[in-house]
Amino acid sequence: MGITLKDLSDRYRVCDGHKFHLKNFEPDDTWKFKSKEDVDELLDHSLKRLADMQGRLYAQNEWALLLVFQAMDAAGKDGTIKHVMSGVNPQGCEVYSFKSPSTEELDHDFLWRCMRRLPERGRIGIFNRSYYEETLVVRVHKEFLANEKMPRQLVTKHIWKERFEDIANFERYLSRNGVIVRKFYLNVSREEQKERFLKRLDDPKRNWKFSPADIRERQLWPQYMDAYEDTIRHTATEQSPWYVVPADHKWFTRRDAGLAQVEISRSAAGHSQRLCCRARGVDEGEIAGSGGRRRLKHVVDRSVLREVVKRIGSVKHTHGQQQHRAQIRNR
Ligand code: ATP
Ligand code: MG
C-alpha cells in the first residue's frame, strides 16, 4: 500500500511540544490501514531488519536506546512491549516496570530509581511507566507528592514547571551521553477503556488484570488528559520526541511496536554507520549503496582492530592475541 514505517513514525511524532493539543490526535485513527493484514505486512518487514540492527548496536557498544511507554490503564502497554521484544535478542534488551515507589525509593530524589535502570551502552532499555509518572499520577494525586519527603520550602506552585525542566534536562543529558530517548504515549479513548475493563470483568482468564483502583483512576480521566497534554507540551523535543499513537484498535497497536522497532533500527543504523565512517575517514555514501552491508562489516572489524592495537600498544600483546586465536581454532 506504499506506506512505510518511516511515514508512520513521521505522522505520530511530536518533536516540538509548544503547539501540541491532544485533541488533534484521534485514539481510533488507523490512517490508511484497513485490517490487521496490512499492518502485519509492514511489521514483518521491520522485524527482519531489526535483529541485524540490534546486533550492530550491541557490537559497537557505544550508544544505548531508551524506549519509554506511558498510557492509561488497559491501553495496551504490555502487549505493545511484548511485540517490541518479539523482534529483539532478549540479551541486549531489558524491560523494567515502574510501580508506586517503595519506601527506599521515596528516600531519594525522583529520578534515582530510573537512573538505576538505564540501559548500558549497546543495549535497549524499555521503561513500562517511568519518571513521567511524576508529572502524571503525582500531579493528579497531590498527596503522592507529600509522600516524597521533599523539603517543604522547595514545594511551591512552580513544582510542575520545575519537574518538566528537570526531566527535559535529564533527557538532554542522556542524549549527550549517547543514550537515545524515545517516548510513546498509547492514546486510548475513555470509551474504549470502558469496553476493555468490562471484558476483563466478564472473562475469568482476564479478571486478574482488573483492579478496583483502575475505576478510581478512570473517574479522574479529564485531569489525566490535562496532565498528559501538559507533559507532552513541555517535554517533546527534537532530541527526545514523543510518539502519540492511537490505541483504540488492538490490531493497530502492534503498529506501535513497529514504531519502536523503527527507532531501534534507526539509532543502530544511523549512529553506528556514521561513527564507523568517521573512525575510518570514509564517505558515508560509500556504505549506503548496494553491497554496503558487507563493506560496513569490514569497516567495523578494521576500526575495532585498530582500537585494540592502540589500547594494547605493544607487539607482544598483539602476538598474545594471535596465540589465543590459534588456541581457540585448535580446540
Ligand atoms: P497493569 O495494570 O497493566 O498490570 P500497570 O503499569 O498499571 O500495569 P499497576 O501495578 O496496575 O501496573 O500500577 C502501577 C501504579 O503505580 C500505577 O497506578 C502508577 O500510576 C503508579 N505509579 C508509578 N509511578 C508512581 C509514582 N512515582 N508515584 C506514585 N504512583 C506511581
Ligand atoms: Mg494498572
Side-chain angles (χ1 to χ4, degrees):
M1 91 169 62
I3 298 179
T4 65
L5 277 169
K6 185 182 170 303
D7 298 331
L8 273 172
S9 109
D10 290 345
R11 183 173 169 88
Y12 300 113
R13 187 172 51 236
V14 182
C15 291
D16 175 7
H18 287 99
K19 290 183 193 147
F20 174 74
H21 291 286
L22 204 45
K23 68 171 170 25
N24 295 339
F25 289 78
E26 293 296 332
D28 65 350
D29 176 32
T30 60
W31 200 15
K32 295 176 189 167
F33 293 85
K34 301 272 176 288
S35 68
K36 183 178 175 299
E37 284 68 36
D38 289 347
V39 173
D40 283 351
E41 193 188 317
L42 195 66
L43 287 185
D44 287 348
H45 175 69
S46 101
L47 275 177
K48 285 195 192 107
R49 260 191 97 207
L50 189 66
D52 176 43
M53 291 301 167
Q54 189 200 6
R56 290 184 196 197
L57 198 72
Y58 190 82
Q60 195 195 27
N61 202 27
E62 287 182 356
W63 296 88
L65 182 66
L66 175 63
L67 305 175
V68 171
F69 286 87
Q70 288 290 160
M72 295 296 283
D73 280 306
K77 270 187 292 112
D78 292 353
T80 304
I81 290 170
K82 208 162 85 187
H83 281 305
V84 178
M85 292 292 291
S86 72
V88 298
N89 179 349
Q91 285 195 60
C93 186
E94 198 178 349
V95 184
Y96 193 82
S97 300
F98 291 94
K99 309 283 179 183
S100 296
S102 66
T103 319
E104 187 194 19
E105 287 167 348
L106 287 170
D107 267 335
H108 293 268
D109 58 279
F110 79 88
L111 285 175
W112 180 78
R113 65 176 182 159
C114 297
M115 295 229 194
R116 303 173 79 208
R117 304 289 170 180
L118 288 173
E120 290 170 32
R121 297 195 189 280
R123 309 216 178 210
I124 298 161
I126 297 181
F127 281 1
N128 182 350
R129 301 189 185 271
S130 66
Y131 44 87
Y132 277 106
E133 291 294 324
E134 294 297 326
T135 63
L136 299 167
V137 70
V138 179
R139 192 170 183 187
V140 172
H141 292 273
K142 308 260 180 337
E143 66 276 16
F144 290 162
L145 190 59
N147 293 341
E148 291 187 8
K149 301 190 223 166
M150 294 254 296
R152 209 171 294 164
Q153 62 270 38
L154 296 185
V155 184
T156 68
K157 63 176 185 258
H158 305 297
I159 185 81
W160 308 115
K161 188 174 157 277
E162 288 166 0
R163 295 242 148 143
F164 290 140
E165 278 173 17
D166 293 339
I167 289 175
N169 287 338
F170 175 57
E171 290 180 347
R172 192 163 49 199
Y173 159 83
L174 289 178
S175 64
R176 284 177 176 170
N177 279 273
V179 183
I180 301 157
V181 186
R182 296 289 181 266
K183 293 118 43 172
F184 296 83
Y185 169 52
L186 274 49
N187 186 16
V188 75
S189 69
R190 198 173 185 197
E191 298 68 44
E192 179 60 24
Q193 189 199 49
K194 182 175 163 189
E195 293 302 314
R196 292 185 190 175
F197 280 169
L198 290 174
K199 268 193 203 139
R200 287 179 179 186
L201 283 170
D202 290 346
D203 181 353
K205 280 194 231 119
R206 297 187 203 196
N207 275 174
W208 65 272
K209 286 188 179 177
F210 184 78
S211 141
D214 294 347
I215 295 289
R216 288 198 297 275
E217 295 314 295
R218 181 177 160 72
Q219 281 159 358
L220 298 166
W221 189 276
Q223 288 91 318
Y224 271 107
M225 290 306 108
D226 288 347
Y228 268 108
E229 186 168 77
D230 214 24
T231 295
I232 294 171
R233 257 187 210 163
H234 285 90
T235 56
T237 62
E238 198 69 49
Q239 272 162 351
S240 312
W242 273 98
Y243 287 91
V244 179
V245 281
D248 268 11
H249 295 283
K250 280 238 159 153
W251 58 267
F252 204 45
T253 309
R254 275 198 65 193
R255 182 277 336 261
D256 304 339
L259 291 181
Q261 287 165 351
V262 129
E263 285 304 332
I264 297 172
S265 300
R266 267 195 190 164
S267 30
H271 293 290
S272 62
Q273 285 190 5
R274 231 168 282 141
L275 272 169
C276 292
C277 289
R278 262 188 233 133
R280 201 186 169 211
V282 296
D283 179 17
E284 277 174 42
E286 195 183 317
I287 58 169
S290 62
R293 187 178 295 171
R294 199 177 317 140
R295 248 179 277 157
L296 177 65
K297 188 167 178 288
H298 194 57
V299 175
V300 173
D301 293 344
R302 284 245 192 115
S303 61
V304 168
L305 199 67
R306 204 184 304 144
E307 188 61 31
V308 169
V309 172
K310 205 163 75 192
R311 283 206 201 149
I312 296 170
S314 87
V315 180
K316 197 171 150 221
H317 280 90
T318 320
H319 178 64
Q321 261 194 332
Q322 280 168 357
Q323 281 181 329
H324 282 142
R325 278 190 177 191
Q327 278 170 359
I328 293 165
R329 242 186 265 124
N330 293 337
R331 288 229 168 128

